[in-house]
Amino acid sequence: MSSISSTPSFTHLNTSPISTEASTLPFEEEKHSTITDIALRVLQTNFPVEVLFNHRFNISAFIKDQIILQKLANHLKNLEQISPESIRVSLENLSLFEELKDRLISSDMLELFYQLCSETLEGNHNLVNFHICFNQRIFTVKNALVAALAPQKLVKNLDAKKENELKRLGREFFKGALYLHLSFQDSLDEESFRTNLYDVSAKLLGFVNQIATSYLQEHNKSVVPNLLNWRNPTGYNYHAFVCSSILETCLSALGYTTSLMYRTDLEPKVTLAMEHSIISVKSPFGKRYILDPCFKQFYEDVSLLDPPKEPLLLIDEDLTDNYVDAKLIPLWKNSLNLYRQKNPSFIGLARKKDIVICLDPDLITSSLSRPKNHEKWVETSLKKIWDLKTYRESVCNSVAYEIFTGLDLLHQKTYDDIKKMQITLTRYPQKSQLKEDLNAMRSFSKNHPRSISLFSRLDDFEKYAYSDILDFDPRLNQLGADIGVNAYLNSLCKIVNPDHIPKKLVYGCSGADITSVLFTTDATEITMVDRTYITLHSMHSALHLVKNEPRRAFHILHKSQFIDGFSRSFSGSSSFSDIDNQFMPDLPLRFFFILMEGLKAENIEIREEHTTIIVSFDWKHNNETRSKKRLVRFIKADITKPQNYPIQLKIILSEGIDIFYMKGATAIPRLFDNFIPKIDRSIKSGGFMMTTDKTMFMEDCSPNVDYPIITSEESTQLENLLEFEPHPLLAHLVLDANKTPDLRAYRNTPPDYTYWLKMIIRRKN
């Protein structure tokens, strides 16, 4: 079977995939339990899981019984004598016997249990139709033995024929299930795992669709009969989030190693959806697969042809680009040819189906968001859809919590319908357990991987109580600064300046941002290059106001929403009418307020040299014991136009710098090629280029330099704290403000943490 196929075989397999219970310790290697793993493999490949879920059985009880049967089989294989009595004697002194006694509540059941074990070992068993057994609610050891002994306790008003049938099914279910565990042979390979994963997932889709529909109707959201095939005309994609959340939970419950992934940065002028959610599944051989139960909508984004008939999409992680090239790009090109031929029937349908923008980007009126390379724009946008490495992992899965644990007290209908299933969310601990685990992590080193994972599950107002498990700068707490962002920025300094030695840095499009550059680099000489015009007088006035009237300064900045933006992402928005006319209001006040009230800098002095304003001050990095003298130059210049650099900036660059720094720079990354060659020549060997490689429209733009990217496990894990996980049912201003197809050209992907905060660090050889 092709690695990019959506159409695997549905034949029953005798091989069994390895899978483990999802680890409760994210970022750590999964702990493998042989007994549990084998029990889950038997379950995944031999039982009709769709019947289990659609009949609302207690999934937890069923799985626990399968694990006990595997333990039992593991013990019985070693018996030298086979008889009910020898089985009884061998079991009575084992801890397994205590687990069995909870299920075998009478002496009659216990005697029958020994008898059936003996018959199974002697080969006295038949092929079992588990589908029929499940339909009669025979799905646990206890129910099987009750059916075999007293079926009227399981089903009321039985005639003699039906009673005998249930007795037979009870006996056959127990012997058949035990035989599966006794006869298990580990003959798994990658292809059989993949095929089985597809088969099991496909069988669960009916349950997924039914529960997702119930959940969305309960929350007054629009639905259609088959949510999995829906392309929501509003651009909302909440159904994909909900369906993926449910499917991931089910697969995890069945023992697959899964992660729920999401993204919020699709290009809404190419794909109607701006957000999406998929499932990542790790095979026992280390390969990772992408499962998408709602993939068909993206075919409808580029074509009027019928989407694929396959029920879901399964792709190898490394082959998603190939899939898009082979499947979606040809469909889009075919649509483009029909559109350019001015085929009236096609154009009419294309407008009705709202796919015209991706065929004719000239309809986009804003020059800032109109692509320069039409085909590249579409290709890049489509390849984002399943690019797993740019997705974020869900650490909360709030939808699963609401559906399977009844967390949302205002919406209980869906939970009431399935609560008897008792599906345990092993990857998402309850709040009581979460706080207990967080307290335990206080004895570990700061920024421990498990601490970060647990911390990411906290609500904002809860984070300060557990902030001591992270390595962050507490001086910003009084401004309400986000602790996760604080810890992330501090962690980057361990990459670029672990020894806290003097560094010379140029910050392009800096605005007033002194915090992030100090936290991430501990630089001592900083040149801030920005288009904003400031004067010596405005700097003195701002410093005076902050020194003498800090409350008034706070209210001014709070009114302009700077304080809110800073507390969330250590940022401050610029104002601009177009790409060439951009400035930062209140830059001097923003700079000095954070410098004094947040960073607690001391001995601040201002002077002017050759039209360059210079601020010096003393400041101590969080991980240092002593303050160091800092020097900050403000140079008014357009970083994208080296030919127009003022002489002061040219001198600084000619002398060489240790770090070039730029983040959150509107659409400037589009112009990297204009100025990065000049910057590259200025960076010393061993120096760094630190950028956020996104525009405000969430376009990916990387500087064209041959520097290796440097990361650390710590900073990568801390990225999980940079933005709170959104709930899929939240309203989106971009979609609500541009609802109709004729307004779709005005939809832009709102920037997220990858634009404001996620630094890509490159080191020059």
Side-chain angles (χ1 to χ4, degrees):
M1 182 176 58
S2 167
S3 296
I4 315 178
S5 171
S6 299
T7 321
S9 166
F10 279 78
T11 55
H12 181 76
L13 299 175
N14 292 322
T15 53
S16 304
I18 301 173
S19 181
T20 62
E21 290 180 300
S23 172
T24 57
L25 302 181
F27 306 116
E28 295 183 8
E29 286 297 316
E30 292 89 351
K31 304 298 187 291
H32 292 273
S33 166
T34 303
I35 295 293
T36 299
D37 290 350
I38 294 175
L40 291 169
R41 285 179 240 167
V42 172
L43 184 161
Q44 292 163 5
T45 52
N46 292 283
F47 288 98
V49 294
E50 72 279 10
V51 182
L52 277 174
F53 282 88
N54 286 325
H55 278 58
R56 309 291 193 271
F57 289 152
N58 186 327
I59 302 295
S60 178
F62 174 76
I63 292 175
K64 287 176 182 177
D65 266 25
Q66 295 307 307
I67 294 171
I68 285 178
L69 284 174
Q70 180 56 43
K71 291 179 181 178
L72 177 64
N74 205 43
H75 169 73
L76 294 178
K77 285 178 183 178
N78 300 316
L79 286 185
E80 294 182 359
Q81 283 189 312
I82 299 174
S83 69
E85 178 61 19
S86 64
I87 292 171
R88 181 187 68 77
V89 171
S90 71
L91 283 173
E92 282 186 345
N93 294 323
L94 299 178
S95 58
L96 172 61
F97 186 69
E98 297 302 316
E99 295 182 74
L100 289 168
K101 280 184 16 181
D102 291 338
R103 289 157 173 77
L104 311 178
I105 56 178
S106 70
S107 57
D108 288 345
M109 289 178 69
L110 198 56
E111 292 304 316
L112 179 59
F113 167 79
Y114 296 138
Q115 179 62 41
L116 295 178
C117 286
S118 179
E119 290 179 14
T120 307
L121 289 172
E122 290 170 344
N124 182 8
H125 56 81
N126 299 313
L127 289 175
V128 183
N129 188 327
F130 290 108
H131 196 294
I132 294 175
C133 294
F134 288 169
N135 282 333
Q136 300 301 323
R137 299 198 62 77
I138 300 172
F139 68 102
T140 62
V141 170
K142 181 179 178 181
N143 279 17
L145 296 178
V146 167
L149 289 170
Q152 65 277 6
K153 293 183 179 179
L154 203 61
V155 180
K156 303 297 183 185
N157 303 319
L158 291 173
D159 58 28
K161 182 178 179 181
K162 185 66 173 177
E163 185 172 325
N164 288 332
E165 174 67 7
L166 281 181
K167 286 182 178 181
R168 183 186 67 81
L169 287 175
R171 297 173 68 95
E172 293 303 325
F173 174 87
F174 179 87
K175 292 195 291 183
L178 178 58
Y179 175 73
L180 289 176
H181 292 279
L182 285 166
S183 61
F184 172 79
Q185 291 184 350
D186 194 354
S187 56
L188 180 67
D189 59 31
E190 188 72 66
E191 187 65 13
S192 62
F193 172 84
R194 186 182 190 280
T195 305
N196 176 256
L197 171 63
Y198 189 102
D199 190 19
V200 170
S201 301
K203 290 177 180 179
L204 292 170
L205 293 183
F207 174 77
V208 169
N209 187 72
Q210 185 179 359
I211 300 305
T213 299
S214 171
Y215 174 81
L216 291 172
Q217 287 177 332
E218 189 176 1
H219 287 80
N220 299 314
K221 296 295 181 183
S222 298
V223 295
V224 295
N226 191 342
L227 287 173
L228 305 173
N229 296 341
W230 191 30
R231 179 178 182 250
N232 189 337
T234 67
Y236 278 97
N237 201 25
Y238 47 74
H239 63 289
F241 274 75
V242 174
C243 290
S244 289
S245 297
I246 297 169
L247 181 57
E248 187 270 337
T249 302
C250 295
L251 290 173
S252 178
L254 292 174
Y256 291 96
T257 304
T258 61
S259 299
L260 179 67
M261 313 298 291
Y262 71 94
R263 71 182 315 139
T264 59
D265 63 343
L266 294 180
E267 169 53 82
K269 293 183 282 294
V270 175
T271 60
L272 197 52
M274 193 165 63
E275 304 178 333
H276 195 47
S277 180
I278 57 177
I279 302 156
S280 168
V281 185
K282 185 179 179 183
S283 87
F285 307 100
K287 215 170 200 181
R288 198 171 290 277
Y289 296 99
I290 294 167
L291 269 174
D292 188 351
C294 297
F295 77 105
K296 294 185 182 182
Q297 59 179 304
F298 299 111
Y299 277 79
E300 296 187 58
D301 282 323
V302 297
S303 175
L304 299 181
L305 299 176
D306 291 337
K309 298 186 183 300
E310 294 78 32
L312 78 162
L313 185 64
L314 176 64
I315 317 179
D316 297 24
E317 173 191 16
D318 298 329
L319 296 175
T320 56
D321 283 358
N322 295 11
Y323 180 86
V324 171
D325 286 335
K327 302 289 185 179
L328 293 184
I329 297 297
L331 289 174
W332 172 76
K333 288 182 176 179
N334 180 62
S335 298
L336 182 63
N337 288 334
L338 291 171
Y339 184 83
R340 287 176 173 171
Q341 292 168 13
K342 302 189 184 302
N343 183 309
S345 60
F346 175 84
I347 291 174
L349 283 172
R351 286 174 177 160
K352 184 177 180 181
K353 293 278 294 208
D354 196 5
I355 69 169
V356 174
I357 297 292
C358 75
L359 304 176
D360 187 0
D362 288 340
L363 296 171
I364 302 170
T365 56
S366 170
S367 60
L368 280 173
S369 56
R370 189 187 308 125
K372 291 184 178 179
N373 186 324
H374 182 193
E375 184 169 342
K376 184 66 175 176
W377 173 61
V378 171
E379 179 185 325
T380 301
S381 301
L382 294 177
K383 287 183 176 179
K384 263 188 176 183
I385 299 170
W386 298 295
D387 183 14
L388 185 62
K389 64 180 177 296
T390 56
Y391 269 76
R392 293 188 71 195
E393 182 177 359
S394 171
V395 296
C396 300
N397 199 347
S398 52
V399 168
Y401 257 123
E402 293 166 16
I403 290 175
F404 295 105
T405 71
L407 182 66
D408 184 355
L409 298 178
L410 298 177
H411 301 91
Q412 294 276 296
K413 180 179 178 300
T414 306
Y415 169 64
D416 286 342
D417 187 36
I418 63 171
K419 62 184 177 184
K420 290 182 180 178
M421 298 178 74
Q422 294 188 23
I423 292 179
T424 303
L425 303 179
T426 55
R427 295 185 63 248
Y428 312 102
Q430 296 282 4
K431 277 294 173 70
S432 57
Q433 182 63 45
L434 176 63
K435 293 179 178 179
E436 183 179 324
D437 291 346
L438 281 163
N439 284 324
M441 294 310 297
R442 287 190 159 110
S443 61
F444 289 78
S445 60
K446 292 182 183 296
N447 289 356
H448 187 280
R450 180 156 167 74
S451 297
I452 296 170
S453 175
L454 295 169
F455 193 85
S456 67
R457 291 169 163 83
L458 292 172
D459 296 326
D460 283 344
F461 66 87
E462 298 173 309
K463 289 180 177 177
Y464 283 99
Y466 298 95
S467 60
D468 55 308
I469 65 176
L470 299 182
D471 182 8
F472 76 109
D473 192 328
R475 287 172 289 191
L476 293 179
N477 283 2
Q478 68 181 47
L479 297 182
D482 187 278
I483 295 171
V485 174
N486 189 325
Y488 169 74
L489 294 175
N490 272 281
S491 74
L492 299 184
C493 193
K494 300 172 187 177
I495 300 174
V496 300
N497 196 3
D499 298 323
H500 297 274
I501 61 177
K503 295 279 186 182
K504 189 175 179 181
L505 176 149
V506 169
Y507 190 164
C509 305
S510 63
D513 177 28
I514 187 61
T515 311
S516 67
V517 73
L518 285 175
F519 277 20
T520 56
T521 70
D522 196 19
T524 48
E525 189 175 338
I526 301 168
T527 300
M528 302 182 77
V529 182
D530 198 84
R531 291 172 177 164
T532 304
Y533 177 70
I534 59 174
T535 65
L536 186 63
H537 174 72
S538 66
M539 295 292 277
H540 277 297
S541 297
L543 179 58
H544 178 81
L545 181 60
V546 175
K547 273 185 176 180
N548 297 288
E549 298 181 75
R551 294 180 69 86
R552 183 177 165 219
F554 174 85
H555 286 302
I556 292 171
L557 295 175
H558 188 269
K559 189 175 181 180
S560 68
Q561 299 186 327
F562 168 73
I563 297 296
D564 288 342
F566 177 82
S567 65
R568 289 193 304 272
S569 57
F570 290 26
S571 62
S573 298
S574 297
S575 297
F576 62 96
S577 54
D578 58 57
I579 200 165
D580 292 315
N581 294 287
Q582 180 183 348
F583 66 96
M584 175 167 282
D586 296 325
L587 188 154
L589 186 59
R590 296 179 182 195
F591 177 82
F592 284 115
F593 183 81
I594 296 302
L595 191 65
M596 295 184 65
E597 296 298 306
L599 298 175
K600 308 299 182 186
E602 298 176 332
N603 302 322
I604 300 173
E605 296 180 353
I606 308 171
R607 67 181 188 274
E608 187 172 16
E609 292 181 4
H610 308 295
T611 71
T612 298
I613 294 172
I614 300 174
V615 178
S616 62
F617 56 91
D618 295 334
W619 182 76
K620 178 183 76 68
H621 194 276
N622 181 52
N623 293 321
E624 287 286 273
T625 57
R626 291 184 178 181
S627 294
K628 290 199 286 261
K629 179 65 70 177
R630 318 282 169 164
L631 185 146
V632 178
R633 297 185 187 88
F634 288 88
I635 295 180
K636 183 182 184 302
D638 184 339
I639 197 70
T640 70
K641 298 176 179 177
Q643 68 275 17
N644 296 333
Y645 286 175
I647 187 63
Q648 298 91 338
L649 181 55
K650 289 180 179 179
I651 292 171
I652 291 167
L653 292 174
S654 67
E655 292 174 347
I657 60 175
D658 299 298
I659 302 169
F660 176 74
Y661 196 93
M662 193 173 82
K663 71 181 188 71
T666 60
I668 299 301
R670 290 178 180 173
L671 306 175
F672 272 151
D673 288 347
N674 291 2
F675 65 96
I676 286 299
K678 173 71 173 177
I679 300 298
D680 176 25
R681 290 191 292 272
S682 303
I683 298 176
K684 300 172 185 176
S685 177
F688 296 89
M689 187 174 289
M690 303 176 68
T691 56
T692 52
D693 295 353
K694 292 284 181 94
T695 68
M696 64 184 297
F697 304 107
M698 298 303 290
E699 302 161 295
D700 294 302
C701 300
S702 303
N704 186 20
V705 292
D706 188 23
Y707 298 7
I709 293 176
I710 309 297
T711 61
S712 71
E713 183 181 0
E714 180 183 46
S715 62
T716 300
Q717 291 163 1
L718 284 164
E719 287 176 18
N720 287 286
L721 307 183
L722 295 185
E723 191 169 76
F724 194 73
E725 190 173 316
H727 193 285
L729 301 188
L730 288 176
H732 291 283
L733 294 176
V734 171
L735 296 176
D736 290 345
N738 304 286
K739 287 184 177 180
T740 57
D742 58 306
L743 294 176
R744 186 174 167 198
Y746 296 98
R747 294 180 189 172
N748 289 311
T749 309
D752 65 13
Y753 77 101
T754 59
Y755 164 70
W756 292 110
L757 284 167
K758 183 181 175 181
M759 304 297 297
I760 309 300
I761 301 175
R762 297 174 171 88
R763 184 167 193 168
K764 188 172 185 177
N765 293 324

